[in-house]
Amino acid sequence: MNKSLFIIISLFSVFFACKTIEEKSSPMDTSLYNEPFRPQFHFSPEANWMNDPNGMVYLDGEYHLFYQYYPDSTVWGPMHWGHAISTDLVHWENLPIAIYPDKNGWIFSGSAVIDHNNTSGLGSDQNPAMIAIFTYHEPVGEKEGRNDFQTQGIAYSLDKGRSWTVYEKNPVLKNPGIKDFRDPKVMWHEDKEGNGRWIMSLAVLDKIDFYSTPNLLEWTFESDFNPEWAAYGGVWECPDLFSLTAADGTKKWILFVSINPGGPQGGSATQYFVGNFDGKTFTTESTETLWLDYGADNYAGVTWSNVPESDGRTLFIGWMSNWQYGQIVPTHPWRSAMTIPRKLELVKINDEYLVASRPVKEIEKLRKESKTVSGSSFELENELVELELSPNQSDFKINISNDKGEKLIVEKSSQELKIDRTQSGKIDFSPEFPAVHTAPLNGIRVEKVRLFIDRSSIEIFINDGELIMTDLVFPTSPYSKIKLEGFSENNSLHYLSGIW
C-alpha cells in the first residue's frame, strides 16, 4: 500500500478519534481460532496485523493488553491500539479498538498508568483515570522529510478502558528535532522522602532519554543513557524501566531496550541493563550486552503497570515475531501472537545479577492431562504440549518431529544451547527463517528444561528461566513424536487446552 493511501486512511480516521469510543465488547468468534498455525495458548488478534504490546496495565481484577494494530490488512499499516483483557493472564477477551489515528498522526507504541492521585486532573479521587501515553507518528511530516514528525500524546478512560477520550491539547511532549522519538514507558517514582512524580523512558534514535512530570501533561528532560559498549546494530525502541529485588534482598534497577536489527540471531531482540536509578539518571553496572531472550522471536516486550503489591510480581509479555519476516509468515487471517506471559525475577549467577523469565503460574490452569513418560522416545496425543525434562548428562538432545519428516531439534553441547529449525516445517517464505539459533550458557548448569509447544512456536526455559529461547515454527502437520538423548528415564508431560 502506498503512503498516499496511508494518509487518506489516517485522515479518515480523525472522525473516529475525535469522539469517545463507546462500543461494547463483542463475543469471541471462535470459528476464527482454528486455522493452520493459529496459536492455541498464546494471545493473537481475531484478524489482521499486530505487533508490539502496548499500555499493559492492571485494574480491578483485569489485565489490559493493548497492542499495535492495523485493522485493514495482515501487514503493517496506519497504527491503532488494539485491546484485550484477561482476569488470569491466560484467557483473553477481545475488546473494540481503543485508540484511533487522529489529526496528530498514527498511534505508535506506548504505555498506560492509573492516575491514582489525579495528578492530571483528568479523573477524580473517586474515579482515577486510566491514562495511555503513546507516540504520534505524523505520516505527512515523514513524507516531507522533516525530523519532528513523532511526538507524545495521551488519551484517558474513566470506565476501566472501555472508552477513550483523546486529550484535546495533544501533543504533551513535542519533538526537539530527532527523527526517532518514540515509545514512552511511564512509571510512578518516589524518592526516599516519599515525594513522587512520573518518569518517562523514551527511545530517541540510539539512546534512552528520561523525562519527568508531576501531572503527565508537562514534561521536563532529565538525562539520557547510551553506553558506548551496548548493542547498536539498529534503532533503539520500546524501553522499560523498573526495579527488581533478589532473594537475598538486593534491589537493582533494570532497563529494557529493544533493538532492530542487531539481535543475537539477527533482526529483532531485547537487550537489558542492570544498574541504579536515582530519579533522574540511570547508571549501569553491566559491562557487556545482556539479552532477555536468545531466540529469534521475542521482541518489544514490556511490563504491566499497577500490579497490586499483594501480588508482588513483575509481569512481562513480548511480541512473538521478528521484523526480518514478521509480515510474511504463512498465517491468515491474522499475523502475529504474543509470548506466554512471564514473571521477571532478579537472580544471582556467577556473582552477577541477571534477569530470569519464568512462565506465569496461571499457565498451569491449561494443563488438562499430566503424565510421567518413561524411556527415550514417545508419541504425542495432543499438539499442545508442556514438557518438564531432567538432564542426566552434561549434553542432551530433544528431537521433535511429525509424520512428514519435519523436525525441530533442541540441543545442548558444551556451553551452548541450540534450536535448529532448518527442517521444522514451512520455511521457504524467508531466507532468514531456516536457521540454527545458539545461546551461550555462560556457566549455567542445566538442571531442568521446561518446554512449551504450540501450533507455531516453541519456548524453552532453562532451569527457572535463567536462559530462554523463543522461536516460531510452522510444521505442516502437528508434531507427534519426541525423542530424547541425555535425559532421565522419567519426565513430566502435560497436555494443554486451548484458551479460545
Side-chain angles (χ1 to χ4, degrees), residues 206 227-236 257-259 261-263 271 273 289 291:
D206 59 356
E228 62 181 20
W229 50 264
Y232 292 101
V235 66
W236 280 22
V257 178
S258 288
I259 181 172
Q271 62 182 316
F273 305 88
T289 304
W291 298 103

Side-chain angles (χ1 to χ4, degrees), residues 145-269:
R146 300 204 316 262
N147 60 6
D148 61 353
F149 56 84
Q150 291 184 343
T151 59
Q152 316 315 312
I154 65 173
Y156 61 96
S157 173
L158 301 177
D159 58 1
K160 300 183 181 181
R162 269 56 177 186
S163 62
W164 289 86
T165 301
V166 176
Y167 183 56
E168 61 182 9
K169 296 182 181 179
N170 276 338
V172 295
L173 177 58
K174 295 183 178 180
N175 191 311
I178 302 172
K179 180 180 177 181
D180 294 294
F181 188 74
R182 62 174 186 261
D183 307 340
K185 184 64 161 66
V186 173
M187 57 164 285
W188 180 256
H189 181 267
E190 292 187 357
D191 61 22
K192 294 179 180 179
E193 287 72 40
N195 301 310
R197 59 180 182 168
W198 300 101
I199 300 295
M200 175 193 292
S201 306
L202 192 70
V204 181
L205 187 59
D206 59 356
K207 61 182 179 178
I208 302 302
D209 282 359
F210 298 102
Y211 287 81
S212 69
T213 180
N215 56 19
L216 295 166
L217 306 177
E218 302 159 327
W219 294 89
T220 300
F221 173 78
E222 295 290 349
S223 65
D224 55 31
F225 174 80
N226 59 336
E228 62 181 20
W229 50 264
Y232 292 101
V235 66
W236 280 22
E237 298 182 314
C238 302
D240 194 1
L241 178 68
F242 55 91
S243 64
L244 293 173
T245 301
D248 64 6
T250 300
K251 177 180 176 180
K252 299 291 183 182
W253 283 88
I254 310 298
L255 178 64
F256 282 1
V257 178
S258 288
I259 181 172
N260 177 60
Q265 312 305 339
S268 316

Side-chain angles (χ1 to χ4, degrees), residues 9-174:
I9 294 171
S10 177
L11 294 174
F12 180 76
S13 297
V14 171
F15 168 78
F16 296 99
C18 291
K19 64 184 182 72
T20 301
I21 308 302
E22 295 183 342
E23 302 171 77
K24 294 183 179 179
S25 62
S26 56
M28 183 78 71
D29 183 354
T30 55
S31 67
L32 289 173
Y33 278 82
N34 200 32
E35 307 92 342
F37 309 128
R38 170 73 84 165
Q40 297 297 291
F41 59 90
H42 294 80
F43 176 79
S44 59
E46 285 186 333
N48 299 311
W49 172 263
M50 176 184 77
N51 56 287
D52 305 356
N54 294 158
M56 289 115 72
V57 63
Y58 177 89
L59 180 64
D60 294 343
E62 295 177 337
Y63 296 93
H64 292 260
L65 170 62
F66 302 90
Y67 51 89
Q68 291 287 275
Y69 187 55
Y70 182 38
D72 298 323
S73 177
T74 54
V75 297
W76 187 92
M79 287 290 97
H80 303 54
W81 269 27
H83 190 194
I85 56 171
S86 174
T87 58
D88 62 2
L89 290 168
V90 177
H91 300 89
W92 294 93
E93 176 188 354
N94 287 322
L95 294 182
I97 291 171
I99 307 175
Y100 287 75
D102 65 27
K103 63 183 180 181
N104 289 305
W106 304 340
I107 311 300
F108 273 22
S109 290
S111 51
V113 298
I114 307 301
D115 189 11
H116 289 290
N117 298 321
N118 196 30
T119 62
S120 64
L122 298 175
S124 64
D125 293 337
Q126 295 74 31
N127 186 24
M130 179 185 291
I131 298 183
I133 309 98
F134 51 84
T135 294
Y136 275 120
H137 180 93
E138 205 280 292
V140 175
E142 180 186 25
K143 184 177 180 180
E144 292 174 348
R146 300 204 316 262
N147 60 6
D148 61 353
F149 56 84
Q150 291 184 343
T151 59
Q152 316 315 312
I154 65 173
Y156 61 96
S157 173
L158 301 177
D159 58 1
K160 300 183 181 181
R162 269 56 177 186
S163 62
W164 289 86
T165 301
V166 176
Y167 183 56
E168 61 182 9
K169 296 182 181 179
N170 276 338
V172 295
L173 177 58
K174 295 183 178 180

